[in-house]
Every structure is written in structure tokens, then in C-alpha cells.
Amino acid sequence: MTEKLWGGRFSQPTDKFVEEFTASIQFDQRLFRYDIQGSIAHCRMLARQGIIGHDEADAIVAGLGEILAEIEHGDFEFSIAREDIHMNIEARLIEKIGSVGGKLHTARSRNDQVALDVRLYLRDEADAIRAALAALQRALLDQAEAHLDVIMPGYTHLQTAQPVLFAHHLLAYVEMFSRDSGRLGDLRARLNVLPLGAGALAGTTFPIDREWVAQQLGFDGVTRNSLDAVSDRDFAIEFCSFAAILMMHLSRLAEELVLWSSADFAFIELSDSFCTGSSIMPQKKNPDVPELVRGKTGRVYGNLVSLLTLMKSLPLAYNKDMQEDKEPLFDTIDTVRGSLKVFTEMIAQLSVNGGRMREAAGRGFSTATDIADYLVRKGLPFRQAHEVVGKTVRYCVETGKAIPDLTLEEFRQFSKKIEADIFATVTLEASVNARQATGGTARGAVEAEIARARVTLPS
């Protein structure tokens, strides 16, 4: 029983399979840095409050520093028998400095300790992911700025609707990712409170100073209820919810990259670095990276549902079920960070076929709405104008003509209000640049949004 720091109550050793089944060290070892960081702050507080001696605290802190170096250098042997990262570090500390190492756990429990470790870890990951999001947004802005003159078809129902700037289309994703970044900032604020000091569930009898520890660790405050502090995993669920929405946005962009890079669209070409070939068809260039990110979206959705299901029936306070929170959370973090990294690099290396986009924008009567707007400015009610343009389009379909190819006489058979200035209205450039209101696709509006986005992105 010497391996178990909690073994005093037990007279028989843990079943070997149960030991392996219940251990979390296989995955929670990634928390080592945060476990040590929290332990050092806790130890200094214990000494500051006179709960342990300053010489004892110095020995503990020095031992923890040595353990940190061992782990970082790959010299630390993690033990399943010691269950988790907390017990592995504490047992090694006692091995190194003797029984005084056991004083580190005064006035805390693994329940509030793990809640602290995960919050510290997730706080750093949230900051890194927010920075990665900003990098992806900058890559999109760079592509938008480099292709301000490229006109493409805008779609509804995947049918040609109206011409838009390619840059305007990319800015739609910049907006989506801005909302994602905002959600991440919001959840970080709720995440950033200290649970340490809640003990196992009821607090502690020792005169600890939670607010001092919170200040040392960069928290905005402390949790206000010990039961909630050790049983709360809202922050992990909220992160996975944020991640699910972010991955949905990435998946939408991935779908468009897959479509646009196909031979039927040929709007873009992905760098060879982000594609693979076929084992049987030598001509193939498959967009594997966007496809895989699209697929990983379902994985992140599953992690969110897993956490929600895990927590839905747990009574207060801590339950062993909650050990299952880490793998979905860790997997979500790894998936999001990997997806953002590969997308940023892929977007930066994207090749754009502006000619092909313009050709597609000229099909499908994409400037039909501009004729309706033209007639409205001539005094015709919009509903009547809509009918006139509908008949005009039907005529074009029947005769195999495009709208710009019609003669003035052909236009005027549908409305006598149409005059020679109609031809300046139905060009792609005129259609795009007529939409100058904030958020529109006119070049000036798009340039303004690019400039605004660059200023507002997190540094």
C-alpha cells in the first residue's frame, strides 16, 4: 500500500486492472506544468499564513522546481499506480525531500487541485487559440486585399444570385471568426476564477488566503461556493461549445474550398502541400486537408455532447465520473489548434483564378436585380419592376442570350422606362460597386472593412 498516498484506510491492494482502469495519468500528465504552478502558489500561501514554516516552503518549492525540470527533460517516470498527475508529482516530491513534502497537500484536496489545474491549462490554451484565430483572419484579409478586383458569383441555394467581390466573400468568414474570438474571450472571463481553497467540497479549517493565491496565479477572483467550485465543469463545456461553433465555421469554409477547387468550378487551386493523390487515378489532386477538417467537425461535436452527457445527472459535489472530462476537452483543444494551424497556412498559399470567377459571375443572370433597382429609380414600384425583370430573364432563357447582350429594343419591349443608360447598370462592376452601404460588396466598402478588421484583430 506504500504507493497509495491515500492508502491508510485500506487493507488490501487495488486490483491491478482496476488500477489501470481508474488511472488518468495516461492523459492528464499534460497538466504537469499547471499542477506545479498551482502547488508553488499554494505552498507560498501556506507559509505566508503560518500554516507551514518558511524553510519547509522553500524546500517544497525547490523540490517542485526540480520535478518540473525532470518532466521537461523527459527524465520523469510516470506511474499508473500513482493514478494521476497530482499523486505522481506529490509522491516524487516526498521521495526527493522527505516527509515535509507531504505538507504541501495541507488545506487542499485533489478535487479543488484538479479544478485549478484544468482552469490554468485552459486559460493558456484559450489565449493560444485566440491568437491562432487572429492569424487565420489575417491570412483571409491578405488574400482579400490581394484580390480586390476579382468578381465572383454570390450564391443563395447554391444558385447564382448576384455578383460580389471575392474579397467580400472572404470577409464573411473574417466576421464569423470574430464572433468566435468574442465567444472565447467571454468564456475566458468566466473561466478565470480560482477554485483552490474549496477543499474536497466544504472548504478548509485552515486560515488560508484564497485571494492572495488568486492574485499570484493571475485570476480575477475566487469561486464563491465550495460545492460548486469542485463540481463545476461549465468552463470545459462552454469551451467545447465555442469549439463546435468554430469548427462549424471552418467546415463551411472547407466545403467551399472543396467546391471551388474542383474542375467544375476551378475558382482556386490549393497548394500541393495540402492535397494528396489517388492510388489508382494518376490525374487526381484531392483536397484532403479541407475534407479532413470538415470531418473533424463531427468529432468536436461529439466531444461537446460527451461532456454534456457526462455532467447531466451528477449530484453535488465531485464524482469520479468527472475524470472523463479531460479526454474530450484535450482532444477538442488539439483538434481546434491543428485545424487553425493548417487552415491558416493553406489560405496563405491559395491561388485564385480570377478569370474563371468572373466568367461564372457573368452567367445565371446575376445582374437581374440591378435592372429591377434601375426601374425603381425610374419610378416603377418594385413589385412591377420585379415582374418586368422576370419576363426579361425568361426571354433571355428562351433566346439563349445573356442580359448584357440584349439590344435596347429588346429591353424596351418589357418596359418603356428602360433607356440607353441601362447598359451601364448591367455590368458586373456596376452591380458590385452600386452596393456601397456599410457591409456591402462595393470595392470602397470592402476596403474599409479590411482596414477596420485589421485594427480590431487581437494582437
Side-chain angles (χ1 to χ4, degrees):
M1 301 302 297
T2 55
E3 285 285 349
K4 309 297 184 187
L5 299 183
W6 44 260
R9 164 67 175 80
F10 294 79
S11 59
Q12 293 181 334
T14 308
D15 179 88
K16 186 64 175 175
F17 178 76
V18 170
E19 190 171 76
E20 295 175 357
F21 185 75
T22 59
S24 61
I25 189 60
Q26 305 94 314
F27 48 85
D28 71 11
Q29 60 184 262
R30 73 166 68 189
L31 297 175
F32 73 89
R33 185 171 288 106
Y34 303 98
D35 196 74
I36 291 173
Q37 180 185 358
S39 291
I40 289 174
H42 179 69
C43 179
R44 290 300 188 195
M45 182 274 296
L46 293 177
R48 188 171 180 269
Q49 295 299 107
I51 299 170
I52 64 173
H54 286 282
D55 56 338
E56 293 174 321
D58 289 342
I60 290 171
V61 170
L64 289 171
E66 293 174 9
I67 291 170
L68 177 62
E70 288 177 2
I71 298 175
E72 288 178 336
H73 296 146
D75 298 328
F76 189 94
E77 184 177 348
F78 292 103
S79 168
I80 285 180
R82 290 172 176 171
E83 302 174 31
D84 54 35
I85 188 61
H86 325 297
M87 303 297 273
N88 268 262
I89 289 174
E90 184 177 342
R92 178 61 178 144
L93 179 66
I94 294 170
E95 286 177 359
K96 291 179 72 68
I97 68 172
S99 61
V100 69
K103 292 192 175 186
L104 174 61
H105 207 56
T106 305
R108 75 175 182 183
S109 162
R110 279 190 294 176
N111 294 356
D112 59 349
Q113 188 179 356
V114 68
L116 170 65
D117 291 1
V118 177
R119 283 177 186 266
L120 287 169
Y121 166 75
L122 188 53
R123 188 175 68 181
D124 277 1
E125 292 296 332
D127 291 342
I129 288 170
R130 202 169 190 206
L133 258 173
L136 174 55
Q137 289 175 286
R138 289 189 190 93
L140 289 165
L141 290 171
D142 289 345
Q143 285 286 5
E145 201 161 39
H147 298 96
L148 271 167
D149 294 319
V150 174
I151 297 175
M152 67 175 291
Y155 299 95
T156 64
H157 309 278
L158 205 57
Q159 304 294 313
T160 300
Q162 295 173 333
V164 298
L165 291 182
F166 175 61
H168 187 61
H169 195 114
L170 294 182
L171 286 179
Y173 287 100
V174 174
E175 286 296 299
M176 294 182 206
F177 297 137
S178 290
R179 293 194 296 274
D180 292 325
S181 182
R183 273 183 283 270
L184 189 54
D186 291 343
L187 77 87
R188 191 194 185 283
R190 282 183 288 278
L191 163 73
N192 201 38
V193 290
L194 176 82
L196 199 65
L201 77 161
T204 177
T205 60
F206 292 94
I208 63 173
D209 187 344
R210 299 186 67 206
E211 286 73 16
W212 186 86
V213 176
Q215 185 180 42
Q216 297 304 302
L217 293 174
F219 286 104
D220 297 326
V222 301
T223 55
R224 310 306 301 185
N225 183 281
S226 60
L227 286 165
D228 180 59
V230 297
S231 63
D232 168 38
R233 291 299 182 269
D234 288 2
F235 57 89
I237 294 170
E238 192 172 358
F239 177 84
C240 288
S241 179
F242 144 80
I245 298 172
L246 166 61
M247 291 299 294
M248 177 267 290
H249 290 154
L250 285 175
S251 185
R252 294 183 73 179
L253 179 53
E255 173 68 9
E256 298 208 296
L257 295 178
V258 170
L259 286 172
W260 292 347
S261 63
S262 68
D264 300 292
F265 277 79
F267 286 180
I268 63 166
E269 184 172 359
L270 299 173
S271 167
D272 289 356
S273 302
F274 302 94
C275 300
T276 65
S278 165
S279 62
I280 188 173
M281 295 169 284
Q283 83 281 9
K284 294 292 294 298
K285 181 178 178 180
N286 298 325
D288 278 13
V289 167
E291 288 177 348
L292 190 56
V293 170
R294 190 175 60 187
K296 286 181 180 292
T297 300
R299 179 191 191 115
V300 172
Y301 289 0
N303 288 338
L304 171 59
V305 173
S306 177
L307 283 178
L308 287 167
T309 306
L310 169 69
M311 297 298 297
K312 74 176 183 64
S313 298
L314 294 187
L316 295 177
Y318 183 84
N319 297 269
K320 187 67 170 179
D321 315 48
M322 293 166 68
Q323 181 173 291
E324 290 294 304
D325 64 345
K326 294 172 193 63
E327 288 178 284
L329 177 62
F330 295 165
D331 182 70
T332 296
I333 289 168
D334 293 345
T335 301
V336 166
R337 291 193 67 168
S339 297
L340 288 172
K341 175 179 170 59
V342 75
F343 246 81
T344 300
E345 295 170 356
M346 180 172 60
I347 292 295
Q349 298 180 41
L350 198 68
S351 297
V352 176
N353 187 342
R356 179 76 172 188
M357 287 189 184
R358 182 184 179 87
E359 177 191 346
R363 298 194 298 266
F365 313 107
S366 64
T367 59
T369 307
D370 298 279
I371 305 174
D373 292 344
Y374 168 91
L375 291 169
V376 168
R377 287 192 290 271
K378 295 285 187 176
L380 202 64
F382 181 80
R383 282 301 163 206
Q384 292 182 30
H386 188 286
E387 183 178 359
V388 168
V389 178
K391 291 178 179 178
T392 305
V393 170
R394 186 171 65 193
Y395 174 79
C396 288
V397 172
E398 291 170 349
T399 59
K401 292 186 174 183
I403 285 176
D405 297 334
L406 297 180
T407 64
L408 181 59
E409 290 72 23
E410 286 175 306
F411 273 120
R412 286 176 62 82
Q413 66 181 308
F414 302 106
S415 174
K416 298 304 181 185
K417 291 184 177 291
I418 297 179
E419 299 172 356
D421 57 353
I422 187 66
F423 294 106
T425 301
V426 296
T427 67
L428 295 176
E429 283 77 12
S431 177
V432 165
N433 288 314
R435 291 162 169 80
Q436 298 178 16
T438 302
T441 191
R443 178 174 175 138
V446 170
E447 286 179 310
E449 285 306 305
I450 292 173
R452 184 196 63 81
R454 288 198 187 280
V455 170
T456 57
L457 283 180
S459 58

